[in-house]
Amino acid sequence: MDSIKETEPTIREVSPIHLTGRADISATRVTFHIRIDGHLILPCSRTLVDVKYPIDVETIETFMLNSYDYEAEEEVHQVTGDVIDLEPIIREILLVEVPMQVFCDDSAGQEGAPQSGKDWEVIEEQEKSEKLDPRLAGLAKFFEDSEDSSD
């Protein structure tokens, strides 16, 4: 499944994919009941740190052996030749499972985005409200003086 990284460049790594299931075979169709387990390594949308994204999908895929026995409301695959290849179907399912954004767990202790740099730092909302802009310190004293004089 490493070829999936060529299709979707945001996927950094693919774990070994574990498939379990069964196949129901009839004269006109083969139906696979499949469970897909594994994980993908994707970049965090905020910090670009590797995030282990679990995959656990159950699907039913039907392959028609005769092209004339096709029902329009079913999603089916046509069999070409004598072999049913599940790899393209599994690859498509994995690509559909890739989220638009994934975020790392902040409590994981991994190095994330820098919290400060030259002339900037990340602050919490509480810290921001408690800090007084030194340019407005004179204005704060003005209001304190007017409150004291009105008493």
Side-chain angles (χ1 to χ4, degrees), residues 17-30:
I17 301 299
H18 184 245
L19 295 175
T20 55
R22 72 177 204 279
D24 298 332
I25 303 171
S26 72
T28 59
R29 69 179 70 199
V30 179

Side-chain angles (χ1 to χ4, degrees), residues 20-112:
T20 55
R22 72 177 204 279
D24 298 332
I25 303 171
S26 72
T28 59
R29 69 179 70 199
V30 179
T31 303
F32 292 94
H33 302 269
I34 304 170
R35 182 174 181 152
I36 304 167
D37 286 320
H39 68 269
L40 304 173
I41 302 295
L42 303 170
C44 173
S45 295
R46 265 187 252 137
T47 63
L48 299 178
V49 172
D50 286 350
V51 177
K52 186 177 180 179
Y53 185 77
I55 300 291
D56 186 9
V57 180
E58 291 185 19
T59 184
I60 299 173
E61 301 296 329
T62 303
F63 290 84
M64 300 302 293
L65 300 175
N66 300 326
S67 60
Y68 58 87
D69 190 27
Y70 180 79
E71 296 177 21
E73 64 269 0
E74 290 186 64
E75 183 179 337
V76 296
H77 310 281
Q78 290 295 321
V79 175
T80 55
D82 296 334
V83 178
I84 296 176
D85 187 11
L86 288 175
E87 186 175 346
I89 305 318
I90 304 301
R91 184 179 305 120
E92 180 182 333
I93 291 169
L94 289 175
L95 286 172
V96 168
E97 287 296 309
V98 174
M100 295 287 280
Q101 292 182 332
V102 64
F103 297 104
C104 63
D105 185 16
D106 292 333
S107 63
Q110 297 177 346
E111 282 295 319

